[in-house]
Amino acid sequence: MRSVSDPSPVSLQNDHSEHHGPGNGAVIHVDTQEVAVAITADETLDCSGLACPMPILKTKKAIDALAVGQVLKMIATDPGSESDMNAWTSRTGHELVEHEVSDGTYTFYIRKVG
């Protein structure tokens, strides 16, 4: 059995994989599954009803007001906001943590990066 302080790596493979421990005959059974993690936003910005470039301009202003590491939840209804937010976060270096689309509403979670 591995101890918590054992620095040797363990490789995990596919669902129900087996890993034979280092020379001791131990077998570790691993069940992998997708785990949903809720993202907590530090601020929320509702840009519903606004067309380009307003969601990006308001997002920039809101992100500028956050501390590094904080997350902004931005809500938009403009279909172009998906490509706009992808391009803007790529250009600025801020992290697009997640985005969701539901019934014409686009929700983005953006983490401010230094």
Side-chain angles (χ1 to χ4, degrees):
M1 178 181 276
R2 291 173 42 87
S3 70
V4 174
S5 62
D6 182 357
S8 60
V10 174
S11 63
L12 302 178
Q13 308 155 353
N14 301 328
D15 289 352
H16 306 290
S17 65
E18 292 184 357
H19 175 75
H20 296 277
N24 63 4
V27 176
I28 301 169
H29 295 277
V30 179
D31 287 328
T32 58
Q33 64 187 41
E34 193 171 311
V35 177
V37 177
I39 299 169
T40 303
D42 296 288
E43 294 290 333
T44 299
L45 174 64
D46 189 353
C47 294
S48 298
L50 300 178
C52 184
M54 291 309 295
I56 292 295
L57 296 174
K58 288 184 172 281
T59 297
K60 181 196 180 311
K61 186 175 180 179
I63 285 286
D64 287 347
L66 295 179
V68 172
Q70 287 188 309
V71 174
L72 174 69
K73 175 181 178 181
M74 192 277 273
I75 302 163
T77 52
D78 180 9
S81 63
E82 269 189 294
S83 59
D84 290 345
M85 289 308 301
N86 282 319
W88 183 79
T89 53
S90 292
R91 191 179 77 248
T92 62
H94 298 301
E95 179 185 359
L96 182 55
V97 179
E98 182 178 319
H99 83 278
E100 305 163 351
V101 181
S102 178
D103 296 326
T105 299
Y106 303 84
T107 305
F108 304 90
Y109 294 88
I110 304 130
R111 178 171 289 117
K112 182 174 181 172
V113 177

